[in-house]
Amino acid sequence: MKAVELVHRRITYFEDAFAELVLWQLSKPLAGSMHRYKYRLAYVVEDVPVLRYDNEGGKGDHRHYGDAEETYSFSTPERLIDDFQRDIARWNDEYRNA
C-alpha cells in the first residue's frame, strides 16, 4: 500500500498566523513510532513556527511548544488534531492576548 494522504489543510487564524496540517497513513510504522501515520502540524505566527507536532523518522512522536520539545503520546489522528488545536488556543491565550 502506498502512503495515503488523509489531511492537507491550511487554516488562517489571524492576518499573521496560520496552521498547516498534513497527515498520511502509511503501510508500516516509521522508525520510532508504533503506528502507521506520518504527520506534521505547525502553527506559524509572524513567519515563525511557534508550535509543531511531528514524527520524523527515527525521532518518533514529539511536539515543540515555543523553544521546548517533548515526547508526544500519539493515540489517534482525531486526538492528535484535538491536542494541536487545544495548544493553538493555549498559545493564543498566553501570547496574543498578553
Side-chain angles (χ1 to χ4, degrees):
M1 170 177 126
K2 294 193 309 187
V4 176
E5 187 175 73
L6 302 175
V7 176
H8 192 161
R9 182 177 306 154
R10 183 175 173 137
I11 303 167
T12 301
Y13 283 83
F14 302 98
E15 185 176 304
D16 63 347
F18 67 90
E20 185 171 80
L21 296 81
V22 182
L23 173 72
W24 298 270
Q25 185 172 15
L26 308 175
S27 59
K28 62 181 182 175
L30 287 173
S33 293
M34 301 299 292
H35 54 80
R36 296 186 311 132
Y37 296 97
K38 168 74 177 140
Y39 59 88
R40 70 174 190 270
L41 299 95
Y43 184 52
V44 179
V45 178
E46 296 179 355
D47 297 321
V48 176
V50 297
L51 174 62
R52 289 183 293 135
Y53 282 63
D54 63 278
N55 65 332
E56 60 192 84
K59 196 166 185 181
D61 303 291
H62 62 283
R63 74 177 193 132
H64 306 260
Y65 191 92
D67 293 330
E69 180 181 328
E70 64 185 23
T71 301
Y72 174 71
S73 296
F74 181 94
S75 59
T76 66
E78 296 80 13
R79 180 62 188 255
L80 170 72
I81 292 170
D82 287 348
D83 290 344
F84 179 62
Q85 290 176 329
R86 188 173 13 267
D87 275 350
I88 289 172
R90 179 178 152 206
W91 178 273
N92 287 334
D93 185 55
E94 290 177 4
Y95 296 100
R96 290 196 77 85
N97 301 325

